[in-house]
């Protein structure tokens, strides 16, 4: 009974639970297979959308990215592991030479980083180029490859008397010997200590001495210029001092003028009319002294005397205080008439099929040309072993020196004579800017130097190589009848290969180009730009230049450049002759009676010795200068030759100035000497230190009066220009009309113009009556296999932002 009651109660509980409502069936029932297909379709659609987005993005990239051409002919970087004969020293070779010499206890050398003036230390390490005869024998296969060696310049301030020594160290890369060498071309041995270039060690001590010597001048600086030298704020109110040379007025002196400038962009145009001369002839800096002071055109021999007179008001004071806005006249900040500008990008170089030149290590090939380039620390960029169409043209073509001789009233202009070699032309050739200094498509190469340092220095992108078109025909002719009816046309655009560096010496920039043309011509060109060296506008300065700004005057000066050209026309055995232009008058054979004719003629004049071959500046005697090989003729039995053309003759008017004694080469527009390994340069790094009694005097090369007939000869050429600065030289001189060019032109060297081998030419002729290939066009255009269509791609350019500007420690 109890069990039955329990069941009834459970049924009652269950009965009160609400019944579950059944769901209504869907209105549309999707089969499982259909549902799967829809899911797959959705996934595929999503993938296609993503791919479409990627494709659109890619299309945007393609449309906004230029199509790049192939790089063209192959090139390789410098081979630092196995350098060639003419290759610059590698960083490892420089380090091995340095470490070897420092390990020689008997030399007693101090590392550069800890050196002082009264110690012995290495100033410079450069390549010692092998003797020419040894190089030629190796190339002919009759002798072994010459060993590489280094030339090391050592300053010996701890010997009595102090001197400069030069060492030959080798063989490289692991030196085993060193010996003192003295060039037979030097006329002063040992090399005087006062002739040495100022280096970083001496300059640091000079700056320290100058800082102490001028400390009591702070009140004068503030009142006169609103500037400070001690405790100033950089780029706000600072004075900067820069040194000038030569350092004295006679041989043996070492007294340097330090001239004051406002520290701002283009400070060269902000002279302050204040200068201090320091006598630093002794290697002991404790005995240095101030020898002269100039303030506003007034000379004092002691700083104390200047300050006493300044305080008592017995001298002429100046207050050329300049605000920041006015100071911008010397900057490169954009200014001028806005209507003068068209804010569009300019033309760019396009090489639709890539570079047509190749570079292997330091060896360049371009059409028929092949040669080596070399960056010499002292004289800069050089070209060696030049061949054209596999025939010898030159053994060496190189810049020797850059000089600038100023004139004026105050010492910084009246005595200023700059010898670029002493400031190291190669080590003054800094990084080039792509798209401005060189085309952005150019090939850039680094150089390495060991000078003014304790470790090798890398000069990034200091050389550039590129092909250019001058957009003028190299040759062309439009042939027509007298009635103007077209016959034919033939032409070739003038393309050339340029090897460039830019030397920055003080305020000036010299763009140095070696240009190789398709017709076998070599062009040597220097273009001038940069700032001018301005002087404070004293009354005495006015006859020497133009006023450029308040208290600023630009003074007359002359730039001169000297070239060494060692032509080997087929062989080193050559001759030099001039073709002298004259006139002749007389009766004519072809006409009866007294019919007279005056006409031009030329007389070949063979130069038999060096004195006959020294061409002074004579513009009254037109001549062609010919270097030829008597044993080598073209097919017309004419001696093969090259002609030297100097388009930048500049008469040297300063022969009587003692400052120019180290530039005796400037007396000659051209000189020809017998080749000697000892006469490898016309100037030396010691020219600036003592130009009055120079260590090397080029005129001595002519004293022995060697015969120059059928022997190895060298041509030395001087080019230059005068510069009277004018308002348009502010802020900087433009290159437009400031170029000096020397040409080496083939003269019967070939049987016809060698550019005829170049396929990048055009020949247009009338279509013959039997030619029915194109009835619409009556002319036939022959491009000799090269494409004439519009370029479809662009050469990849080096980015402007890659420029760094600083020298790097290796």
């Amino acid at each position: 009974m109890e069990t039955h009651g329990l069941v009834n109660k459970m049924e009652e509980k269950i009965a009160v639970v609400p019944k579950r409502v059944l769901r209504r069936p869907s209105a549309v029932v999707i089969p499982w297979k259909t549902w799967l297909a829809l899911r797959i379709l959705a996934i595929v659609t999503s993938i296609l959308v993503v791919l479409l987005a990627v494709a659109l993005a890619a299309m945007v990239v393609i449309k906004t990215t230029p199509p790049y051409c192939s790089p063209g002919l192959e090139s390789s970087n410098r081979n630092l592991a196995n350098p060639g004969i003419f290759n610059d020293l590698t960083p490892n070779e420089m380090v091995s030479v340095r470490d070897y010499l420092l390990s020689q206890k008997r030399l007693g050398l101090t590392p550069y980083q800890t050196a002082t003036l009264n110690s012995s230390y290495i100033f410079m390490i450069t390549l010692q180029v092998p003797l020419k005869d040894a190089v030629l024998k190796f190339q002919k296969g009759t002798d072994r490859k010459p060993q590489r060696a280094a030339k090391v310049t050592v300053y010996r301030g701890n010997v009595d008397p102090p001197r400069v020594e030069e060492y030959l160290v080798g063989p490289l890369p692991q030196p085993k010997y060193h010996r003192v060498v003295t060039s037979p071309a030097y006329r002063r041995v040992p090399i005087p200590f006062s002739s040495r270039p100022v280096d970083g060690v001496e300059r640091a001590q000079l700056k320290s001495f100058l800082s102490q010597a001028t400390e009591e001048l702070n009140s004068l600086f503030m009142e006169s210029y609103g500037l400070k030298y001690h405790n100033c704020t950089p780029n706000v109110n600072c004075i900067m001092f820069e040194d000038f040379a030569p350092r004295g007025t006679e041989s043996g002196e070492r007294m340097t003028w330090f001239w004051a400038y406002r520290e701002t962009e283009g400070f060269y145009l902000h002279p302050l009319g204040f200068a201090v001369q320091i006598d630093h002839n002794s290697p002991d800096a404790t005995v240095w002294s101030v020898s002269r002071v100039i303030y506003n055109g007034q000379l004092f021999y002691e700083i104390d005397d200047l300050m006493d007179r300044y305080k008592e008001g017995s001298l002429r004071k100046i207050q050329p205080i300049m605000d920041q806005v006015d100071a911008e006249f010397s900057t490169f900040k954009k200014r001028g008439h806005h209507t003068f500008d068209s804010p569009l990008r300019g033309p760019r170089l396009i090489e639709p099929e890539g570079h047509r030149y190749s570079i292997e290590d330091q060896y360049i090939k371009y059409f028929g040309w092949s040669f080596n380039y070399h960056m010499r620390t002292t004289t800069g960029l050089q070209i060696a072993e030049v061949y054209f169409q596999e025939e010898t043209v030159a053994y060496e073509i190189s810049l020797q020196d850059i000089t600038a001789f100023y004139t004026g009233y105050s010492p910084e202009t009246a005595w200023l004579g700059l010898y670029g070699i002493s400031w190291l032309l190669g080590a003054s050739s800094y990084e080039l800017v792509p798209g401005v200094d060189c085309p952005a498509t150019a090939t850039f190469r680094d150089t390495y130097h060991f000078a003014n340092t304790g470790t090798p220095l890398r000069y990034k992108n200091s050389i550039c190589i590129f092909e250019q078109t001058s957009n003028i025909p190299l040759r062309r002719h439009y042939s027509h009848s007298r009635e103007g009816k077209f016959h034919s046309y033939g032409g070739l655009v003038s393309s050339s290969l340029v090897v460039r560096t830019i030397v920055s010496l003080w305020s000036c920039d010299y763009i140095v180009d070696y240009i190789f043309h398709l017709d076998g011509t070599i062009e040597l060109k220097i273009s001038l730009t940069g700032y001018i060296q301005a002087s404070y506008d004293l009354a005495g300065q006015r006859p020497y230049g133009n006023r450029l700004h308040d208290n600023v005057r630009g003074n007359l000066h002359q730039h001169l450049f000297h070239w060494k050209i060692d032509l080997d026309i087929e062989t080193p055995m050559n001759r030099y002759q001039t073709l002298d232009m004259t006139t002749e008058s007389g009766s004519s054979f072809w006409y009866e009676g007294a019919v007279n004719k005056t006409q031009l003629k030329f007389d070949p004049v063979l130069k038999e010795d060096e004195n006959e071959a020294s061409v002074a500046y004579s513009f009254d005697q037109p001549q062609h200068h010919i270097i030829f090989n008597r044993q080598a003729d073209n097919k017309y039995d004419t001696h093969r030759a090259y002609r030297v053309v100097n388009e930048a003759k500049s008469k040297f008017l300063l022969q009587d100035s003692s400052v120019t004694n180290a530039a005796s080469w400037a007396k000659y527009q051209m000189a020809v000497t017998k080749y000697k390994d000892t006469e490898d340069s016309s100037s030396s790094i010691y020219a600036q230190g003592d130009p009055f009694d120079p260590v090397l005097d080029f005129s001595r090369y002519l004293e022995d009066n060697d015969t120059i007939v059928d022997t190895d000869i060298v041509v030395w050429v001087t080019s230059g220009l005068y510069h009277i600065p004018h308002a348009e030289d502010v802020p900087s001189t433009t290159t437009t009309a400031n170029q000096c060019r020397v040409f080496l032109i083939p003269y019967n060297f070939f049987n016809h113009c060698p550019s005829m081998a170049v396929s990048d030419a055009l020949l247009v002729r009338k279509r013959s009556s039997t030619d029915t290939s194109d009835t619409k066009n009556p002319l036939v255009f022959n491009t000799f296999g090269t494409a004439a269509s519009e370029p479809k791609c662009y050469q990849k350019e080096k980015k402007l932002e890659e420029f760094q500007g600083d020298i790097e420690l290796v």
Side-chain angles (χ1 to χ4, degrees):
M1 289 296 292
E2 293 179 355
T3 303
H4 179 74
L6 179 61
V7 170
N8 290 335
K9 289 182 179 179
M10 292 180 63
E11 289 177 351
E12 292 176 357
K13 290 180 178 180
I14 293 172
V16 300
V17 175
K19 292 183 178 181
R20 187 173 183 181
V21 180
L22 296 176
R23 290 188 305 176
R24 294 178 60 187
S26 302
V28 179
V29 178
I30 301 175
W32 178 84
K33 290 184 177 180
T34 303
W35 173 246
L36 179 62
L38 289 174
R39 293 187 65 183
I40 294 174
L41 179 62
I43 293 172
V44 171
T45 302
S46 300
I47 293 173
L48 290 175
V49 170
V50 172
L51 290 176
L52 179 60
V54 172
L56 288 174
M59 184 66 68
V60 171
V61 172
I62 292 172
K63 289 295 185 181
T64 56
T65 302
Y68 290 128
C69 307
S70 68
L73 299 181
E74 293 185 2
S75 293
S76 63
N77 290 320
R78 186 175 169 192
N79 186 354
L80 298 177
N82 186 27
I85 293 177
F86 296 100
N87 284 24
D88 306 322
L89 291 179
T90 68
N92 287 338
E93 288 175 325
M94 295 173 181
V95 170
S96 67
V97 171
R98 177 201 64 189
D99 293 346
Y100 168 79
L101 289 179
L102 290 176
S103 69
Q104 304 302 305
K105 301 300 183 183
R106 297 184 65 179
L107 290 178
L109 300 183
T110 300
Y112 184 87
Q113 294 85 341
T114 59
T116 60
L117 280 178
N118 52 5
S119 59
S120 289
Y121 60 93
I122 297 171
F123 167 63
M124 181 173 63
I125 302 175
T126 59
L127 173 70
Q128 178 63 50
V129 178
L131 302 181
K132 181 177 179 179
D133 184 60
V135 173
L136 296 181
K137 287 181 179 179
F138 165 70
Q139 292 172 336
K140 291 177 181 178
T142 60
D143 205 347
R144 64 177 185 176
K145 181 179 179 180
Q147 292 181 326
R148 285 171 64 82
K151 181 180 178 181
V152 183
T153 305
V154 175
Y155 288 176
R156 287 199 164 277
N158 61 346
V159 299
D160 188 22
R163 59 180 179 270
V164 179
E165 292 180 344
E166 296 179 345
Y167 288 83
L168 187 66
V169 181
L172 301 180
Q174 298 299 326
K176 296 181 176 60
Y177 69 83
H178 68 279
R179 57 176 179 267
V180 178
V181 292
T182 301
S183 172
Y186 291 169
R187 51 186 294 277
R188 300 186 66 186
V189 179
I191 301 167
F193 202 56
S194 59
S195 296
R196 75 193 187 282
V198 170
D199 67 336
V201 173
E202 186 176 15
R203 183 161 278 111
Q205 292 190 245
L206 281 167
K207 290 290 186 180
S208 176
F209 179 87
L210 182 64
S211 179
Q212 296 175 13
T214 59
E215 192 168 353
E216 61 180 294
L217 293 168
N218 279 343
S219 60
L220 180 148
F221 291 157
M222 283 301 299
E223 183 179 337
S224 296
Y225 312 114
L227 303 173
K228 299 180 181 180
Y229 185 57
H230 299 275
N231 302 319
C232 67
T233 302
N235 300 317
V236 176
N237 63 342
C238 284
I239 288 176
M240 60 186 300
F241 283 95
E242 295 295 334
D243 61 298
F244 285 81
R247 308 180 190 281
T249 58
E250 60 183 38
S251 179
E253 290 184 342
R254 200 168 182 82
M255 297 189 296
T256 298
W257 279 107
F258 283 83
W259 288 85
Y261 294 86
R262 183 182 308 277
E263 186 186 55
T264 187
E265 183 181 338
F267 66 87
Y268 317 96
L269 298 177
H270 293 268
L272 298 177
F274 181 88
V276 176
Q277 188 184 56
I278 300 174
D279 186 343
H280 55 110
N281 201 12
S282 173
D284 182 3
T286 62
V287 301
W288 290 357
S289 62
V290 172
S291 52
R292 286 173 178 80
V293 185
I294 291 179
Y295 171 75
N296 195 21
Q298 299 157 101
L299 176 64
F300 305 89
Y301 292 94
E302 295 177 353
I303 290 179
D304 290 342
D305 183 33
L306 166 61
M307 286 306 299
D308 289 343
R309 293 175 182 269
Y310 185 84
K311 291 175 182 177
E312 68 185 27
S314 61
L315 49 68
R316 299 187 306 274
K317 295 185 178 182
I318 54 176
Q319 288 187 318
I321 296 176
M322 182 178 294
D323 60 42
Q324 291 296 320
V325 175
D326 196 21
E328 290 183 352
F329 85 92
S330 63
T331 71
F332 280 10
K333 182 178 179 180
K334 186 176 180 293
R335 55 190 181 274
H337 297 289
H338 67 279
T339 56
F340 182 71
D341 183 41
S342 177
L344 302 173
R345 300 177 74 185
R348 303 175 92 87
L349 179 64
I350 296 178
E351 298 167 275
E353 296 179 34
H355 297 323
R356 301 196 296 179
Y357 59 88
S358 64
I359 308 173
E360 182 181 354
D361 200 359
Q362 292 184 219
Y363 179 70
I364 300 176
K365 296 182 70 176
Y366 172 69
F367 285 90
W369 291 107
S370 62
F371 55 89
N372 293 273
Y373 73 85
H374 163 55
M375 179 66 90
R376 192 176 182 182
T377 299
T378 54
T379 58
L381 183 61
Q382 299 183 333
I383 303 298
E385 282 204 301
V386 182
Y387 289 83
F388 191 74
Q389 296 183 353
E390 300 183 347
E391 296 193 78
T392 304
V393 174
Y395 183 78
E396 176 188 344
I397 305 173
S398 60
L399 181 64
Q400 295 296 294
D401 205 349
I402 295 175
T403 62
F405 298 114
Y406 283 75
T407 185
Y409 171 71
S410 58
E412 87 272 30
T413 50
W415 283 95
L416 178 57
L418 175 71
Y419 289 85
I421 189 174
S422 299
W423 301 84
L424 307 182
L425 298 177
S428 298
S429 302
Y430 302 100
E431 185 177 356
L432 302 169
V433 178
V436 182
D437 294 332
C438 309
T441 59
T443 303
F444 292 83
R445 287 290 184 258
D446 301 341
T447 57
Y448 298 89
H449 299 284
F450 195 108
N452 268 320
T453 180
T455 188
L457 301 175
R458 176 191 177 213
Y459 287 56
K460 179 185 175 185
N461 297 338
S462 56
I463 296 175
C464 70
I465 301 100
F466 59 93
E467 186 182 9
Q468 68 177 3
T469 171
S470 60
N471 290 316
I472 189 173
L474 178 66
R475 49 177 168 79
R476 64 93 70 185
H477 182 63
Y478 178 99
S479 179
H480 60 89
S481 67
R482 291 296 185 186
E483 293 76 26
K485 199 170 184 180
F486 174 75
H487 287 170
S488 65
Y489 171 87
L492 172 67
V493 68
S494 180
S495 300
S496 57
L497 186 75
V498 181
V499 184
R500 171 177 294 172
T501 192
I502 301 181
V503 182
S504 294
L505 290 177
W506 178 235
S507 62
C508 272
D509 295 72
Y510 302 91
I511 303 172
V512 181
D513 288 341
Y514 294 87
I515 306 174
F516 298 84
H517 294 270
L518 298 179
D519 63 349
T521 295
I522 303 173
E523 179 183 350
L524 315 177
K525 183 171 74 172
I526 294 184
S527 307
L528 282 72
T529 181
Y531 285 92
I532 64 166
Q533 172 52 50
S535 61
Y536 191 73
D537 190 19
L538 301 171
Q541 293 280 38
R542 291 167 192 169
Y544 303 104
N546 290 310
R547 186 181 181 187
L548 306 179
H549 201 268
D550 296 338
N551 304 304
V552 179
R553 190 163 292 270
N555 292 59
L556 164 67
H557 54 281
Q558 183 180 25
H559 296 277
L560 291 168
F561 314 101
H562 204 223
W563 297 93
K564 178 183 180 182
I565 304 169
D566 182 5
L567 290 171
D568 287 351
I569 308 303
E570 196 171 286
T571 72
M573 300 296 105
N574 294 164
R575 292 183 171 193
Y576 165 50
Q577 72 176 8
T578 60
L579 306 181
D580 296 352
M581 308 300 168
T582 60
T583 60
E584 65 175 7
S585 299
S587 59
S588 173
F589 169 80
W590 308 103
Y591 296 95
E592 298 177 354
V595 178
N596 292 320
K597 175 70 165 59
T598 299
Q599 61 185 357
L600 288 172
K601 63 175 293 189
F602 69 87
D603 297 320
V605 179
L606 178 68
K607 308 298 181 180
E608 297 189 356
D609 55 48
E610 293 176 337
N611 287 345
E612 289 185 5
S614 302
V615 183
Y617 284 86
S618 174
F619 297 94
D620 297 328
Q621 177 59 66
Q623 293 176 321
H624 280 186
H625 303 279
I626 309 296
I627 307 298
F628 69 99
N629 188 329
R630 191 175 67 90
Q631 301 298 326
D633 294 344
N634 65 12
K635 68 181 293 184
Y636 307 112
D637 297 325
T638 305
H639 298 323
R640 306 183 72 187
Y642 257 75
R643 177 184 165 207
V644 181
V645 180
N646 183 1
E647 280 198 349
K649 300 183 184 73
S650 184
K651 187 171 180 63
F652 188 53
L653 301 174
L654 298 175
Q655 297 187 34
D656 296 330
S657 172
S658 59
V659 173
T660 68
N661 287 347
S664 59
W665 45 264
K667 301 175 184 177
Y668 313 100
Q669 66 178 17
M670 195 170 100
V672 180
T673 62
K674 181 178 180 180
Y675 178 89
K676 295 178 181 177
D677 287 297
T678 57
E679 297 177 355
D680 65 326
S681 181
S682 61
S683 190
S684 78
I685 63 172
Y686 312 110
Q688 189 74 85
D690 191 346
F692 314 104
D693 188 12
V695 170
L696 189 150
D697 181 0
F698 173 78
S699 62
R700 295 188 67 192
Y701 290 3
L702 310 175
E703 290 180 353
D704 49 14
N705 198 25
D706 288 319
T707 180
I708 55 171
V709 177
D710 296 333
T711 188
D712 194 356
I713 56 180
V714 178
V715 181
W716 309 84
V717 178
T718 302
S719 61
L721 53 81
Y722 301 102
H723 188 192
I724 304 177
H726 46 89
E728 292 77 14
D729 285 319
V730 176
S732 65
T733 300
T734 60
T735 60
T736 307
N738 293 295
Q739 298 180 353
C740 296
R741 302 193 298 178
V742 175
F743 291 91
L744 308 176
I745 304 174
Y747 188 83
N748 297 312
F749 190 89
F750 305 100
N751 298 323
H752 54 71
C753 181
S755 70
M756 293 302 299
V758 178
S759 59
D760 189 23
L762 173 64
L763 177 61
V764 183
R765 286 175 173 164
K766 284 188 174 183
R767 190 177 300 278
S768 67
S769 58
T770 58
D771 185 356
T772 60
S773 59
D774 186 357
T775 57
K776 294 182 180 180
N777 196 333
L779 301 178
V780 177
F781 294 82
N782 189 347
T783 59
F784 303 97
T786 59
S789 58
E790 180 182 355
K792 303 299 182 183
C793 61
Y794 303 88
Q795 194 72 19
K796 192 169 185 179
E797 296 183 342
K798 182 177 284 291
K799 294 181 180 179
L800 178 66
E801 292 75 16
E802 294 182 35
F803 176 77
Q804 296 176 343
D806 290 329
I807 301 171
E808 300 176 3
L809 295 175
V810 178

